[in-house]
Amino acid sequence: MKKLRLGVNIDHVATIRNARGSNYPDPTDAAKLAFGAGADGITAHLREDRRHILEKDVARIKSEVNLPLNLEMAATIEMRKIALKYSPNAICLVPENRLELTTEGGLDVINNYNFLRDYIAPLKDVGCRISIFLAADKEQIDAALDIGATTIELHTGMYCDFHYDKNFKEKEVEFEKLKQMAKYGVVRGLEVHAGHGLTLETVGPIAGIMDIEELNIGHSLISDSIFVGIDSAIRRMREKMEEGRHDLASLR
Ligand code: PXP
């Protein structure tokens, strides 16, 4: 059975810091605690509007934290310069819209094919693994593979929204799509990750999709940390992931 890795997204530690323009809480300290709690990686989204993580955080996490860094970013020239400066272990390309509350959909690789193929080439040259954040869509997965991505991250946001809206019929449809497309990605030779909106309540069935190798989780983990501390929040999430991975009943 493939091990399921947990990438802890520490963006919202920075959101709280930035709300008051203070130096605390420090996302790098959070990343160090995540290491202690058994995280397999740190994920951070450097947004164009810098609403959470800043470039100095990327620099410190890369140099001070003993975990691989997965840098989420929009495919802009500015972001590529920053990525080339810090060489994160992995880059996850996401669509970005300044007015959105969070990343709303997957990247449209088909309609940006030539641009993205040329965009990722220098990043691959310096050894960054390239992941593309995608909706569960076969043609987009094919396009991601064709431009040279090694990994896809499937967007679980809709699945989680349907769960909390109690729209269980649509939730089941979305789950099947995620499961089928995870399998398809693996058959085509890609590494498959998933993330967005996952919580203690929703993570089990997604963790039960055996083709998925990594989950990236942030908002709910940092929210739970307010009440139980980051160490417990991460350990509880990990337990739910393990349960989902091993308990076939959670697939339904
Ligand atoms: N994966 C990707 C590609 C994302 O853009 C985000 C949000 O930054 C996440 C995972 C984590 O989502 P959440 O904060 O809702 O757990």
Side-chain angles (χ1 to χ4, degrees), residues 133-136 141 152-156 178 181-182 192-195 212:
F133 193 42
L134 291 180
I141 294 173
I152 53 168
E153 179 164 329
L154 295 175
H155 196 317
T156 50
L178 290 165
M181 289 305 105
V192 179
H193 301 174
I212 295 177

Side-chain angles (χ1 to χ4, degrees), residues 67-199:
L67 282 174
L69 173 63
N70 170 35
L71 182 66
E72 297 174 355
M73 61 185 219
T76 65
I77 298 306
E78 182 207 10
M79 287 301 153
R80 186 167 65 184
K81 268 195 203 139
I82 294 172
L84 288 170
K85 188 164 160 194
Y86 299 105
S87 294
N89 306 75
I91 286 169
C92 182
L93 292 180
V94 300
E96 215 174 275
N97 158 7
R98 274 175 194 258
L99 298 181
E100 69 192 359
L101 288 176
T102 180
T103 318
E104 281 170 355
L107 199 62
D108 183 352
V109 186
I110 296 170
N111 285 309
N112 298 285
Y113 187 93
N114 289 338
F115 171 77
L116 288 171
R117 186 195 53 208
D118 297 345
Y119 184 86
I120 66 175
L123 296 166
K124 288 183 72 172
D125 287 346
V126 297
C128 297
R129 289 183 66 89
I130 305 293
S131 172
I132 313 267
F133 193 42
L134 291 180
D137 180 289
K138 211 174 198 172
E139 281 75 34
Q140 294 288 357
I141 294 173
D142 287 339
L145 181 69
D146 290 350
I147 63 165
T150 53
T151 305
I152 53 168
E153 179 164 329
L154 295 175
H155 196 317
T156 50
M158 284 223 291
Y159 170 80
C160 295
D161 287 346
F162 288 136
H163 174 84
Y164 283 103
D165 292 344
K166 300 197 180 338
N167 187 345
F168 298 120
K169 210 169 144 211
E170 288 300 327
K171 177 185 161 189
E172 190 65 16
V173 172
E174 189 61 21
F175 179 74
E176 277 307 314
K177 271 197 221 164
L178 290 165
K179 198 169 138 192
Q180 293 308 324
M181 289 305 105
K183 186 189 244 358
Y184 182 69
V186 169
V187 167
R188 298 246 33 217
L190 290 159
E191 183 170 315
V192 179
H193 301 174
H196 210 283
L198 293 170
T199 63

